[in-house]
Amino acid sequence: MDRTTSRTGLVYDERFLEHDTGIEARVRLRTGTFDLSPQPHPSAAIITQRTREFLDGAGLSARMQSIPARPASATELDCYHTPEYIAGIALWARDNTQGPLRASWGEIDEETVLSPGSLEAALYAAGGAMNAVQAVLEGRVSNAFALLRPPGHHATSNQAMGFCIFNNVVVAAHYARRVYGLERIMIIDWDVHHGNGTQDAFYEDAGVLFVSLHQQDWFPENSGTLEQVGRGAGEGYTINIPLPPGTGDRGYRAAFERIILPIGRQYQPQLILVSAGQDACWLDPLAQMMMTMDGYRDLATMVVKLADEVCEGRLVVLTEGGYSASYSPYCSAATVEALMDADTGIIDLYDTAPELKTCQTIFSYDTRQALQRALTQYQKWWRL
């Protein structure tokens, strides 16, 4: 697709910032708790806000076509989430009660905070994801970047988990199938944590190819192992690539070149969705994968080329995690530059740091072994 005559769409809504995750101050002990001076929750609204400001300041958003968000309806959400869970989240957010909850309608884990603005933000995030798909499939934009909050890929049918409330990418995929009749959708999840909710939604479904590369043995526990390959009709259509800490840019590129791109070409999806977490970056406080801004640009460029090759460029990128307020915006901007085939001259925040060069060049024995294990596993279903 000629990106000189087409546009990249941008989904963003100020309502996303009303999802207030508050502060962290309490330390739990086996015998009780104590408090420290407060600091922002890792999934703070300021990261989303700074990312939008970065896109504005770099001149990227002005060159993108605005796609409005809208609230997802209960009927649209219950393609995956149970009606009881949807109603329970509404009550829980309205009451502004924080902390873990297990009830007859579902569960909220101890890390996922809800505030009075959380329900509206989550509804608009899911609706924004669907609007991005609509704009791409109807040809109003060539591809789209949805700067969503809260994220979604950990949310299961009846559990808010890992900062996620509704599963945006699952809702978007079901929307594309229901409204546009798509038969093959590929979801690529490069968030550093495994997209357990997305995997759960399509585990027995050959109509959605789910590919996740993530830090091994990380979060959620026992999720995203090589042995989790799908079930029944979906066997071989769940691709998990667990990678060791310190994988870096070269390791991620190799995973795409050796496994993800060949599988994508064979599957021939009609639409590609990306769960794009920036938390694999080298400055993220919740992981150790050592990706750089240039690495993210490379991954996005490869996915753009794959979409051009197999599905006429139809690609929607949905943000997930990313907890470095200083560096996550750089990685998102690099992703958007790839979608637009643009170079705005952004200089990496740590361009002169020797650690950055290490992140860009390291290709460890452990990473090579992890990729070889994945290749061996998925050769049972794909030509690799």
Side-chain angles (χ1 to χ4, degrees):
M1 182 172 290
D2 181 6
R3 249 164 289 283
T4 62
T5 58
S6 60
R7 294 177 66 92
T8 292
L10 173 63
V11 176
Y12 176 78
D13 196 291
E14 292 291 332
R15 295 175 183 85
F16 298 158
L17 304 182
E18 296 303 311
H19 171 52
D20 182 7
T21 49
I23 59 173
E24 288 193 336
R26 181 152 296 179
V27 177
R28 293 189 298 273
L29 303 172
R30 286 189 294 272
T31 56
T33 64
F34 66 91
D35 290 338
L36 299 174
S37 297
Q39 68 171 7
H41 186 278
S43 182
I46 189 63
I47 300 172
T48 303
Q49 183 177 349
R50 283 171 57 91
T51 301
R52 175 59 200 256
E53 292 168 350
F54 200 108
L55 299 180
D56 291 346
L60 289 166
S61 54
R63 298 164 58 184
M64 303 169 78
Q65 182 170 317
S66 178
I67 300 171
R70 63 168 176 85
S73 69
T75 301
E76 290 171 325
L77 293 175
D78 72 14
C79 65
Y80 179 48
H81 298 291
T82 66
E84 295 80 9
Y85 173 75
I86 298 165
I89 287 292
L91 289 172
W92 191 241
R94 185 193 64 190
D95 292 342
N96 192 24
T97 308
Q98 299 185 359
L101 174 73
R102 290 169 178 82
S104 59
W105 51 264
E107 183 176 342
I108 299 173
D109 76 2
E110 62 187 13
E111 298 174 334
T112 304
V113 177
L114 299 185
S115 68
S118 295
L119 175 63
E120 186 174 40
L123 291 174
Y124 270 80
M130 288 187 282
N131 275 5
V133 167
Q134 179 188 46
V136 167
L137 292 181
E138 293 184 358
R140 290 186 277 119
V141 295
S142 57
N143 54 47
F145 180 81
L147 179 56
L148 307 178
R149 173 178 172 80
H153 72 150
H154 293 308
T156 66
S157 62
N158 66 344
Q159 182 175 5
M161 181 179 184
F163 314 152
C164 302
I165 300 174
F166 300 129
N167 198 311
N168 304 318
V169 73
V170 169
V171 172
H174 277 295
Y175 174 80
R177 299 169 85 177
R178 182 180 69 253
V179 176
Y180 297 95
L182 299 195
E183 298 177 347
R184 296 180 310 283
I185 297 171
M186 182 178 189
I187 298 176
I188 301 173
D189 188 331
W190 69 48
D191 189 281
V192 80
H193 306 102
H194 180 244
N196 59 295
T198 311
Q199 173 175 288
D200 175 73
F202 301 114
Y203 204 61
E204 300 182 16
D205 191 340
V208 176
L209 172 67
F210 175 61
V211 181
S212 176
L213 60 170
H214 46 270
Q215 185 170 327
Q216 66 188 20
D217 302 325
W218 202 232
F219 181 87
E221 187 176 3
N222 301 319
S223 187
T225 65
L226 279 177
E227 294 72 28
Q228 294 170 6
V229 297
R231 184 185 303 115
E235 183 176 329
Y237 293 91
T238 291
I239 309 294
N240 283 306
I241 309 173
L243 295 168
T247 289
D249 292 354
R250 286 187 63 192
Y252 271 82
R253 283 199 301 268
F256 270 76
E257 292 166 350
R258 300 180 185 182
I259 303 173
I260 297 173
L261 299 182
I263 290 176
R265 293 185 185 107
Q266 292 168 59
Y267 186 67
Q268 292 285 302
Q270 297 160 298
L271 171 69
I272 298 176
L273 304 174
V274 177
S275 277
Q278 296 81 38
D279 43 5
C281 81
W282 73 294
L283 289 178
D284 197 274
L286 301 187
Q288 302 89 33
M289 295 306 283
M290 309 302 282
M291 281 273 286
T292 73
M293 174 185 175
D294 285 345
Y296 275 97
R297 184 185 290 105
D298 288 345
L299 298 192
T301 298
M302 286 189 281
V303 177
V304 167
K305 291 179 179 178
L306 175 64
D308 285 346
E309 182 178 341
V310 300
C311 56
E312 299 180 344
R314 292 190 288 267
L315 169 63
V316 176
V317 177
L318 311 174
T319 56
E320 298 282 359
Y323 310 103
S324 171
S326 61
Y327 202 60
S328 288
Y330 281 79
C331 299
S332 290
T335 301
V336 171
E337 284 187 321
L339 293 178
M340 300 174 66
D341 193 18
D343 181 1
T344 56
I346 299 169
I347 298 174
D348 195 297
L349 176 66
Y350 293 92
D351 185 54
T352 60
E355 297 90 342
L356 195 71
K357 302 303 179 186
T358 300
C359 297
Q360 293 170 333
T361 59
I362 191 171
F363 192 30
S364 70
Y365 174 79
D366 287 345
T367 299
R368 293 194 297 269
Q369 289 295 101
L371 292 177
Q372 185 57 52
R373 287 191 292 270
L375 273 167
T376 301
Q377 173 75 312
Y378 298 112
Q379 282 173 341
K380 300 172 186 176
W381 296 277
W382 306 93
R383 297 185 304 276
L384 300 174

